[in-house]
Amino acid sequence: MVEGGINKADKTEFTECWSAVWKTPYIMKLALSAGIGGFLFGYDTGVISGALLYIREDFNDVDEKTWLQETIVSMAVAGAIFGAATGGWLNDKFGRKLSILIADVLFFAGAIIMAVAPAPWVIILGRIFVGLGVGMASMTAPLYISEASPHKIRGALVSTNGFLITGGQFISYLINLAFTHVKGTWRWMLGIAGLPAVIQFLLMITLPESPRWLYRKGKVDEAKEILAKIYSAEEVEEEMQAMKKSIEEEKAIEGSIGSSTFTQIKKAFGNTACRRALYAGICVQVAQQFVGINTVMYYSPTIIQFAGFASNRTAVALSLITSGLNAVGSIVSVAFVDKYGRRRLMIISMLGIISCLVVLSVVFFQASAHAPAISSNESAHFGNATCKAYANSPNPSSWNCMKCLAKEADCGFCSNTNDLYAPGACIAKTDALEGACKAEKRVWYTKGCPSKFGFLAVIFLGLYIIVYSPGMGTIPWVINSEIYPLRFRGIGGGIAAVSNWTSNLIVSLTFLTLTEHLGSSGTFLLFAGFSLLGLVAIFFLVPETKGLQFEEVEKVLQKGYSPFRKNTTTKDTSDHKN
């Protein structure tokens, strides 16, 4: 899951933040605006998982074509990649405030387009608009907060933005659950996101531009006026001097590495310390996605249906567990990242992830192996509606529920009247036969089969989130904020972020196809294999940055990190070779 950069804040900073927010209207509006930005980001990543269940019911093409489901989910990620890329240019050219306003307009437009969509391609168009807004907001909101808020509570406000991303995911599942029995279901789920986008837009109109951006553009007096709303008179001059020094240093760095993206990338990979930092930074970002986290966040109700819970409402309700645990995990990370170190938390997290994925693979294998058999008598009960593939099979006695639901057969399983796990009927997958099945108080299955192992899948999905969120969920962003030499920090972080979004797109775009060809068991085992490779790469490439100054991290990387020797730093301040 992509969560944006997470800045650390201690307990005192959060206390000061709480006090300042209630005392100062300006900071209150800033906090609300920032919170909505993070909330929208999280809401979009969570809401589609439940909405997809009902989109499949309304559009037969979506239900029958796996690639169409994957496209609906992943186009928001594709839009976010482009939105993040263009957002950087918009931030520098037109300012942080206007970038957030544009992101809100795009998000609102996408939400409305999806809510009124008459066809799947229109939903996809809306997802692209939403993705553009999400991509721009994900990089602009934290930047705006860090530049426009009092320095004493800056970390707390940015950390709150990160927490509200996971909070938005949790709220999206509650919204999904609330609208499961409302006419329009998925249209409400997707369309309601437009409301907070409007609220953020109205709030941002009343807020000023980032004083740092104004100063950099030569609008010194305007920057000073904004700082006067935040600091006392004597503090304003100190902040102006600090800002002047920081911007001069920033311009000097740009002069040394060039302004074009291609030149910056070339020089970044040409620098020994930065190249090794990029190996480590890209490694943790790619690993974060290839452990399969966004398959759980985007498709958790579908996965739960694979485990044998046929009801859409039940699947959405059980998915609340994963999103809730993810939100709790982000709090745990803030509490332990500085105590136990980044590298240790990631390695422990990866070991837990691999264990959970292997167990999930075994659970789904057992669920498939023990799926209820197909009864010819039960199937004949529905007249000539018996599944054609089953009726024409040379060995129908070998069929079970999983074979009935396979893509080759493309039929539905109607459970036994008396016993959910007893042999049932394999019949054609139509709305009329689904209604006939349910009319007899039977359960209708199209994604997964009745299974006594289903509850284990829910338990280990929850455990997977518990071990993922505090470690691999947040630490990759912390690592990428600390590991690059100062002159390459912007381009290094950008390259790593793009690798994260791209990996997210690949995983979300292929998950359902993988389950069709490898089964749920094989797919989770594949992710376990990717996780093992990620663990090995982290072990050999990623140094511990806990307690180190940026210069000390650079010295470790310049020397070459090895997990088998003590990586100490010296006080030598000599320049490193470029």
Side-chain angles (χ1 to χ4, degrees):
M1 170 186 62
V2 182
E3 294 184 358
I6 296 177
N7 291 42
K8 301 177 293 299
D10 58 26
K11 184 177 179 181
T12 302
E13 193 169 346
F14 276 112
T15 302
E16 290 187 12
C17 177
W18 181 257
S19 176
V21 162
W22 284 106
K23 289 180 181 178
T24 310
Y26 164 77
I27 300 175
M28 170 70 84
K29 288 191 290 186
L30 177 67
L32 283 173
S33 179
I36 293 172
F39 176 86
L40 286 174
F41 185 9
Y43 185 89
D44 178 71
T45 61
V47 71
I48 193 61
S49 63
L52 186 63
L53 302 180
Y54 297 95
I55 293 173
R56 290 200 319 242
E57 290 185 352
D58 279 5
F59 299 107
N60 288 332
D61 281 352
V62 177
D63 191 40
E64 295 170 1
K65 298 175 182 177
T66 298
W67 67 266
L68 198 51
Q69 297 175 40
E70 291 170 331
T71 302
I72 289 172
V73 170
S74 60
M75 278 304 99
V77 182
I81 294 173
F82 187 77
T86 56
W89 176 79
L90 282 172
N91 280 333
D92 292 338
K93 185 73 175 177
F94 300 107
R96 287 48 163 150
K97 177 178 176 178
L98 183 60
S99 295
I100 293 176
L101 291 174
I102 292 172
D104 285 330
V105 171
L106 289 168
F107 200 101
F108 178 78
I112 298 303
I113 289 171
M114 290 188 295
V116 301
W121 71 266
V122 181
I123 301 176
I124 293 171
L125 179 64
R127 294 288 292 163
I128 293 172
F129 271 82
V130 164
L132 289 169
V134 165
M136 290 176 60
S138 68
M139 67 170 300
T140 307
L143 182 64
Y144 176 79
I145 300 165
S146 65
E147 294 180 350
S149 59
H151 64 82
K152 290 182 180 179
I153 62 171
R154 186 172 298 148
L157 283 177
V158 178
S159 293
T160 301
N161 178 66
F163 167 70
L164 282 169
I165 292 173
T166 55
Q169 291 170 340
F170 181 73
I171 295 298
S172 72
Y173 282 100
L174 288 177
I175 295 293
N176 284 349
L177 190 61
F179 285 107
T180 53
H181 288 162
V182 175
K183 186 178 180 180
T185 52
W186 61 271
R187 297 183 186 277
W188 286 103
M189 294 173 182
L190 298 174
I192 203 171
L195 181 59
V198 170
I199 294 172
Q200 184 180 42
F201 184 92
L202 295 175
L203 282 171
M204 284 304 304
I205 289 176
T206 65
L207 287 169
E209 180 54 82
S210 157
R212 182 181 180 85
W213 183 83
L214 290 170
Y215 193 103
R216 188 178 171 88
K217 293 297 181 179
K219 301 178 180 181
V220 179
D221 292 339
E222 290 183 43
K224 192 171 184 178
E225 287 179 15
I226 295 169
L227 289 175
K229 298 179 182 179
I230 307 172
Y231 300 102
S232 61
E234 56 273 15
E235 289 177 317
V236 169
E237 288 303 322
E238 293 179 10
E239 287 297 317
M240 289 291 289
Q241 289 302 315
M243 188 183 299
K244 179 182 178 182
K245 181 180 178 182
S246 174
I247 291 174
E248 287 175 351
E249 291 175 352
E250 191 176 277
K251 289 182 177 179
I253 290 170
E254 289 177 358
S256 68
I257 66 173
S259 57
S260 75
T261 302
F262 177 77
T263 302
Q264 291 179 19
I265 293 174
K266 184 178 178 180
K267 288 194 174 184
F269 279 98
N271 178 277
T272 302
C274 186
R275 182 172 62 253
R276 289 169 177 163
L278 281 166
Y279 292 158
I282 293 173
C283 162
V284 295
Q285 294 286 32
V286 172
Q288 184 193 64
Q289 294 303 315
F290 273 86
V291 300
I293 180 57
N294 277 320
T295 64
V296 176
M297 299 314 298
Y298 293 145
Y299 298 108
S300 59
T302 302
I303 294 171
I304 288 172
Q305 288 190 331
F306 288 160
F309 296 91
S311 164
N312 286 350
R313 185 176 177 83
T314 300
V316 171
L318 289 174
S319 297
L320 278 168
I321 297 172
T322 59
S323 58
L325 290 172
N326 193 33
V328 172
S330 65
I331 301 173
V332 174
S333 177
V334 172
F336 289 103
V337 64
D338 283 324
K339 184 174 182 179
Y340 295 108
R342 291 86 163 112
R343 177 182 163 85
R344 181 184 297 179
L345 278 180
M346 282 195 296
I347 289 174
I348 293 172
S349 180
M350 288 296 277
L351 288 171
I353 287 168
I354 293 168
S355 300
C356 288
L357 287 172
V358 170
V359 173
L360 280 168
S361 177
V362 172
V363 167
F364 279 102
F365 177 81
Q366 290 296 322
S368 177
H370 294 85
I374 301 300
S375 165
S376 57
N377 291 333
E378 287 286 320
S379 301
H381 171 73
F382 291 92
N384 58 3
T386 301
C387 175
K388 289 183 180 180
Y390 170 71
N392 297 329
S393 172
N395 188 19
S397 61
S398 67
W399 277 53
N400 66 6
C401 172
M402 292 302 295
K403 198 164 184 178
C404 176
L405 302 187
K407 186 177 181 181
E408 297 76 20
D410 195 28
C411 293
F413 179 80
C414 186
S415 70
N416 190 287
T417 309
N418 301 315
D419 183 356
L420 198 63
Y421 307 109
C426 183
I427 54 180
K429 189 166 65 174
T430 66
D431 292 341
L433 288 172
E434 177 183 353
C437 175
K438 292 179 177 179
E440 297 184 6
K441 306 300 182 183
R442 298 168 179 244
V443 182
W444 177 252
Y445 294 88
T446 58
K447 293 299 176 184
C449 295
S451 173
K452 295 179 181 179
F453 300 95
F455 76 97
L456 290 175
V458 176
I459 290 173
F460 279 95
L461 277 175
L463 287 174
Y464 169 86
I465 292 294
I466 289 173
V467 296
Y468 167 85
S469 186
M472 290 305 296
T474 54
I475 305 302
W477 295 103
V478 176
I479 287 288
N480 274 278
S481 71
E482 298 174 333
I483 203 167
Y484 301 107
L486 178 62
R487 56 196 176 281
F488 297 110
R489 191 152 299 141
I491 190 66
I495 292 171
V498 169
S499 71
N500 186 295
W501 280 110
T502 304
S503 300
N504 183 341
L505 178 62
I506 293 170
V507 171
S508 60
L509 194 56
T510 59
F511 174 68
L512 293 179
T513 299
L514 286 172
T515 59
E516 278 190 356
H517 290 85
L518 302 178
S520 301
S521 176
T523 302
F524 281 110
L525 192 60
L526 179 64
F527 284 131
F530 287 145
S531 301
L532 181 60
L533 291 176
L535 173 61
V536 172
I538 289 170
F539 182 79
F540 283 102
L541 295 177
V542 183
E544 179 57 73
T545 58
K546 170 192 169 185
L548 298 181
Q549 298 292 329
F550 292 133
E551 294 79 8
E552 293 174 325
V553 175
E554 186 175 357
K555 289 175 183 177
V556 169
L557 293 168
Q558 186 72 27
K559 182 179 179 181
Y561 173 76
S562 171
F564 301 112
R565 69 166 182 261
K566 187 174 182 180
N567 294 275
T568 57
T569 60
T570 66
K571 296 299 181 183
D572 178 26
T573 57
S574 60
D575 292 337
H576 300 306
K577 185 188 294 183
N578 286 330

